[in-house]
Amino acid sequence: MIDLTAEKAESEVIRSFKKLSVYEKAEKLQQVKKSFMYNKKPSSQIIFNTSNTMVGSAILVMPIYFLQTGILASILSCAFVAAISLVTVNLIVDNYKHGESDLPEQIERIMGLKWKTFFAASSSLLLGFATIAYFLLMANLFYTALESVFEGLPAKDAGIIFGQFSYQWAGIILAIISFIMFNIKAMSVILKINAYGIYAIGIYIIFMIYIGIEAMATGNLKFGSGDGGIVMFSGSISDLITLLGIFALAFISHNILIPIIKYNVNFKNNKRDVGIAYVVTAMIYVMIGVFGSFGIGWRTACFDGKTPATVMDCLRDAEGFTFYFLMIAQALVLIQLTGVLPVLNFITRSQLFGIFYSELDEIPQWKSRVWNTIIILLCVLFEVFNVKPGLLISLCGAVCGFLLVYVIPIAMHFKAVGQPRSNSQQNLLIEEVEENSESATSVVNNGLNGKQETVVTGDTNFSKPEITLKQKVFYGVLLVYGFGIMISELVNIALG
């Protein structure tokens, strides 16, 4: 995500240069793309970046839903959703051609401009909801930390309170800070901070393992139904659907995968590397979910009938070393979320404005500020009414996941049948970046008409084979499953 954001940020700066002609802008944009395309990475880095992209906000609520759904049911659900997501993401890898910078270019090449616009709208919706979910997690962590230090603060679920310092006021403070960060033009500063975010996630994972081991060592871990007990299957369909929605979001890499795999020094290993990344990510989720549920299952704040927003809510009664470890992990994750939030908003805004502006058009600053204002107001609105982050994450995964994980990749795969595609084992990345100045002119001519040409080299003398009946049935079942989860989650929310 950092490389993608850095490339988009540099491109946006070039677009804002008023003194440059259209042709000069096009030339500089080509230079930016070339400079990033040369930044080739080994398979280990591709695996790490892909996994790091997926591991995000869901880990803060995952142990709660492991506890509510049942350990074994959650592990099987994790493996199931990971396998399905890997199947559809591999459709994107299979149809990728060297020289394409991101998924919208691939979609436009195979399916046309309308589908590209549909993807941009779907991805913007996903990232917009993700931005709000991140803000809710920030607000919850911030206020939980304050509750641990200052006694007498109103509970988060005590209603809307403005007569004294409350959860709502904490959200307003964070909204002001976030709005300032949204309007910072120098994204490079924020990206440098985000580069250390992986350490915060690492500390959080270690903390989850620690509280799980602590529960086992102190005899607080017990299995069976009832308060404080860990079950294998809870039998709750509602909780299972919510967890499937959370996993749907947790395994989405589809919309930002191409900006990662295009840097692979061994392009033919992309499918293998992505597969390993999904296995690693699933193992991380299982580890966090299992150990985290062990660590919070016996605490009264997580008993049946309680509605904790994050894992940290369950640990407010922690003492001694666990309390200090909790405060450190909480502070680091809060800082990490604060750094990710403006990046998410930037990518969301870029994809949304990309529907209405070509690559060479300058986007008026006032429109960016209007967007920043709207998204912050939405964040505050959701926070004031104390919407649970897990609910929003699940809804986002179920609805947006249906579009990005199932509809778009499968539709693109079917459309690509019979079309020529490049041989990924013969095309070299260097062939795609050593373009002459004519490529810039091509971008200008197409950019002025609202369309950009994708330059592709290499052997394209073979086509994809026809899709068999078994494959049609298989992908049809996936679509039905995705649609079913989306409808079930919407019904879940409607019924409360």
Side-chain angles (χ1 to χ4, degrees):
M1 183 180 289
I2 290 178
D3 287 328
L4 170 63
T5 308
E7 184 175 342
K8 284 185 176 293
E10 288 194 30
S11 299
E12 190 165 291
V13 170
I14 292 172
R15 293 164 72 177
S16 65
F17 287 160
K18 297 182 181 296
K19 294 183 179 181
L20 293 180
S21 68
V22 176
Y23 291 95
E24 288 173 328
K25 287 184 180 180
E27 190 66 42
K28 286 185 175 294
L29 285 173
Q30 286 298 315
Q31 291 173 4
V32 168
K33 290 182 178 181
K34 288 180 181 180
S35 66
F36 279 92
M37 296 269 303
Y38 275 119
N39 189 23
K40 295 185 288 184
K41 294 178 172 65
S43 289
S44 58
Q45 191 67 43
I46 300 300
I47 294 169
F48 176 82
N49 288 347
T50 304
S51 180
N52 187 38
T53 297
M54 289 185 281
V55 177
S57 59
I59 62 175
L60 292 172
V61 301
M62 210 168 276
I64 296 173
Y65 290 95
F66 265 67
L67 185 64
Q68 294 175 353
T69 309
I71 298 299
L72 188 55
S74 300
I75 294 174
L76 293 175
S77 298
C78 180
F80 176 70
V81 177
I84 290 177
S85 298
L86 180 59
V87 167
T88 58
V89 85
N90 275 334
L91 300 179
I92 295 173
V93 178
D94 285 340
N95 288 290
Y96 174 67
K97 284 187 177 182
H98 287 310
E100 291 174 332
S101 60
D102 54 20
L103 183 56
E105 286 189 24
Q106 183 186 67
I107 293 174
E108 184 177 12
R109 169 176 58 85
I110 296 174
M111 304 179 70
L113 187 59
K114 289 184 178 180
W115 274 93
K116 177 185 176 183
T117 303
F118 176 67
F119 163 79
S122 303
S123 185
S124 298
L125 182 66
L126 169 71
L127 293 172
F129 273 115
T131 301
I132 297 173
Y134 266 75
F135 182 84
L136 294 178
L137 289 169
M138 286 170 53
N140 273 277
L141 290 178
F142 181 50
Y143 196 72
T144 300
L146 293 177
E147 285 180 313
S148 300
V149 177
F150 302 102
E151 295 183 359
L153 292 178
K156 283 181 286 190
D157 55 1
I160 301 174
I161 301 173
F162 285 106
Q164 66 181 104
F165 187 80
S166 61
Y167 177 60
Q168 285 71 33
W169 280 113
I172 291 173
I173 291 172
L174 289 175
I176 294 172
I177 296 172
S178 299
F179 185 73
I180 293 172
M181 296 183 70
F182 283 1
N183 288 282
I184 293 176
K185 292 184 178 180
M187 286 297 295
S188 58
V189 177
I190 297 176
L191 291 177
K192 287 180 181 178
I193 297 174
N194 281 338
Y196 297 97
I198 185 63
Y199 299 109
I201 298 298
I203 294 296
Y204 173 80
I205 294 173
I206 293 172
F207 178 65
M208 287 295 103
I209 296 174
Y210 166 75
I211 62 173
I213 294 175
E214 180 193 37
M216 290 186 282
T218 55
N220 287 312
L221 175 65
K222 65 177 183 178
F223 293 91
S225 58
D227 288 339
I230 304 293
V231 298
M232 295 294 105
F233 295 91
S234 70
S236 172
I237 300 299
S238 175
D239 288 335
L240 177 61
I241 291 172
T242 300
L243 184 62
L244 288 172
I246 290 173
F247 279 136
L249 181 64
F251 284 108
I252 289 180
S253 67
H254 302 58
N255 54 334
I256 52 178
L257 182 68
I258 288 179
I260 296 174
I261 64 173
K262 70 180 182 181
Y263 298 126
N264 201 335
V265 67
N266 295 314
F267 185 79
K268 63 183 180 180
N269 294 333
N270 269 333
K271 210 166 182 179
R272 181 203 67 184
D273 296 344
V274 171
I276 294 174
Y278 268 77
V279 172
V280 170
T281 303
M283 292 173 63
I284 291 173
Y285 290 156
V286 168
M287 187 165 52
I288 291 174
V290 171
F291 281 99
S293 61
F294 286 176
I296 64 175
W298 62 277
R299 297 183 182 273
T300 56
C302 275
F303 282 0
D304 287 341
K306 301 296 179 65
T307 56
T310 68
V311 174
M312 306 307 186
D313 285 342
C314 300
L315 298 165
R316 283 177 292 183
D317 59 348
E319 298 177 346
F321 177 76
T322 303
F323 172 78
Y324 294 110
F325 199 171
L326 166 66
M327 296 303 291
I328 293 172
Q330 199 163 235
L332 290 175
V333 172
L334 180 59
I335 293 171
Q336 191 261 349
L337 291 173
T338 305
V340 169
L341 194 69
V343 174
L344 274 176
N345 179 64
F346 174 79
I347 297 176
T348 306
R349 189 179 66 211
S350 298
Q351 290 194 353
L352 183 65
F353 286 174
I355 299 175
F356 307 101
Y357 294 92
S358 73
E359 189 177 40
L360 301 176
D361 290 334
E362 178 186 356
I363 300 173
Q365 283 296 315
W366 69 268
K367 290 188 177 182
S368 295
R369 293 192 180 97
V370 167
W371 167 259
N372 294 341
T373 303
I374 291 173
I375 199 71
I376 278 294
L377 290 176
L378 286 173
C379 288
V380 172
L381 180 65
F382 277 77
E383 192 269 348
V384 165
F385 286 96
N386 194 23
V387 176
K388 299 300 181 185
L391 178 66
L392 191 61
I393 292 170
S394 179
L395 175 64
C396 185
V399 177
C400 300
F402 173 63
L403 301 175
L404 295 177
V405 177
Y406 302 103
V407 174
I408 292 177
I410 292 175
M412 183 170 62
H413 181 62
F414 275 62
K415 183 71 174 179
V417 170
Q419 291 188 15
R421 66 177 183 179
S422 59
N423 187 336
S424 61
Q425 296 184 10
Q426 295 179 1
N427 287 335
L428 299 177
L429 188 61
I430 193 66
E431 295 175 359
E432 306 304 326
V433 297
E434 292 181 346
E435 300 169 352
N436 55 34
S437 59
E438 292 180 2
S439 62
T441 304
S442 175
V443 171
V444 172
N445 293 334
N446 289 280
L448 293 175
N449 294 320
K451 183 179 179 181
Q452 182 177 338
E453 179 180 339
T454 301
V455 180
V456 180
T457 62
D459 178 18
T460 58
N461 294 324
F462 64 95
S463 302
K464 292 184 61 178
E466 292 292 329
I467 296 177
T468 65
L469 178 60
K470 288 183 179 180
Q471 290 175 320
K472 291 179 180 179
V473 172
F474 174 71
Y475 291 125
V477 170
L478 291 187
L479 286 170
V480 171
Y481 163 77
F483 183 75
I485 292 297
M486 179 182 69
I487 296 301
S488 300
E489 182 61 23
L490 292 173
V491 171
N492 245 355
I493 294 173
L495 296 178

